[in-house]
Amino acid sequence: MCKITENIPNGARNPAYLPEDFDRPMVFIAEAGDIVGTRIGVKTDWYCLCLDADAHHFNKEHPIFHGPFEVNISVELKPTPSEAFRFVRTDGQPLPDSLEMWRVQTKGYKTEEGFRPGMIARPWGFADSPDAEYISGGVSAKDIDAVAMGRHGNFFFWGFSASPENMTDEAQTVFANAVAYISKFAGQTPIARRYKSDIATREYAVQQKDFISYKRWQERMVVEKQYIEKTEEIKKVALAKQAKGEKLTSEEKAALRSTVKLQSYAEWLKSREPVLFEKFGDNEQAYKDYFDDNRDYFYGGDKVIYWMVDEDVKSWGIPNNDIRLLDKAIGCWERGEEVDKAKRVLTRYTLCRFATPQEWRDWYETNKDRIFFTESGGWFFMVNTRDLSVPGNDYRMRGQKIPGEDYRGEKRRVPETEAALNSDKNPVYMEMKTEEAENGNKWVVVKMNIHPGYHTYARVASTDPYMPTALQFTFPEGWGEAEKLLWPVSKKLNEAGTRYYEGEVVFRQEIKGKGKGEVHCTVEYQCCNDYICMPPGKVELNVRIE
């Protein structure tokens, strides 16, 4: 049986390099925004390590483009990144064929093999609090709205990776201006904190509505059909060679074991939306109506893996980001109407824990002109102040519930505790075992189970920023490789040559020898879905061999 001795999954929390109350001005370069910032809730988290050399959608009026050092930005019209067309904009507007761009780096990973890519932060909810601002996007493999430059509290995020020698002269000046700009925010720590990088927001739901559409299924099946046809071609060659007693390649052996079939639209929907599928089957319009009708009541806060419909709020017909919701809940408690529901709503959407409706009313009336709502910060109404004596911003209150706050709303996804192997929270599960080989040797079998909608990478082209799957074995004394590792058949991602795995993926290593001990395997990989690319993960596996 398999024993996991170390598991660093995608999205694992980074070590704490800074205290929560760190208030000195700081500039994050590329993935430092994730490595240093996310543990203390800074919004500069990992969306994708795939930022290239050009900026777009930059705020030309922002102070960093105007001083203290004079700079004249050179703008050029360039084609919109092809990857951006895979995403639906939350404002519903179509993407233009070209964008105004500003060259930040003289080199980028797309044109300079081996050049370090920059990092973009998740756009969903980045600017939904008054302590944060979006400054610029950049050419990447993801959403056009991803953040390449931004500020959160006393932290400035410069997602581009180049050192000054590989920056354009203009970028060097803007970077110097950014340093001067963030120095003005000494002492202004973040108010809203994004402690969950994968927190579900309404923008995420908009993307999900698009990605389960019939059109997206058709696009995916084109890729699947190409994969199956290619696999069948390899199978024919393998069977012919097998009949002649010729040795098969690793790819040919993997093709003979392949059982992939095209999924119907219903099967595809069921794998991605199992709970909604029970309601709507393959009725595409029903899914669209569900997303549209419930947009104001989606909730993705504390202890919610994906997002759900808050039936408490829906019953009142008030959007959960509307301050009228607080007034409604407090008023119900004051009048003795639906008191339990009112308490649940107030606890769910604030960081206050008052015992009486009068205390709630006093807090609300005192602060209502500076209350804001943040989804990325936890789906809370918070107060625009850094005054620690004002209730409403203390995240330690998340752990203090009131009686009756067990309600979770309508389930959309199977909760993590009910998931058999993996989930949206932990999309890759691995196990390792041994099997007897027909020739008297043994097989070491590593199985990678990838959650529907996610994938890992088999091969990565030099122009792509992803990390390929790699397996490293260590065998006990008396044992060694009999043949090379048998890799599964992968699927084509793009014309550059990058290929990926999804579903159940099996790696087989034939070994020979005698004795007892443990086989050790280190698996390094990167997992992505249609929205995000997670930080690289590493899993350590052991299996006893007799």
Side-chain angles (χ1 to χ4, degrees), residues 209-225:
K209 172 187 171 183
D210 174 68
F211 277 111
I212 62 170
S213 66
Y214 190 80
K215 176 184 176 183
R216 294 296 185 181
W217 168 76
Q218 287 180 309
E219 292 172 350
R220 176 54 64 93
M221 289 308 107
V222 170
V223 176
E224 292 293 296
K225 186 177 180 181

Side-chain angles (χ1 to χ4, degrees), residues 130-182:
D131 56 354
E133 55 182 330
Y134 169 97
I135 298 172
S136 177
V139 174
S140 73
K142 295 296 179 182
D143 194 341
I144 204 75
D145 296 319
V147 183
M149 291 186 207
R151 179 189 65 84
H152 188 197
N154 52 305
F155 299 95
F156 191 98
F157 174 57
W158 182 279
F160 295 93
S161 66
S163 61
E165 66 176 325
N166 294 129
M167 290 181 185
T168 63
D169 292 342
E170 295 173 1
Q172 291 177 6
T173 304
V174 172
F175 183 83
N177 287 342
V179 173
Y181 177 71
I182 197 62

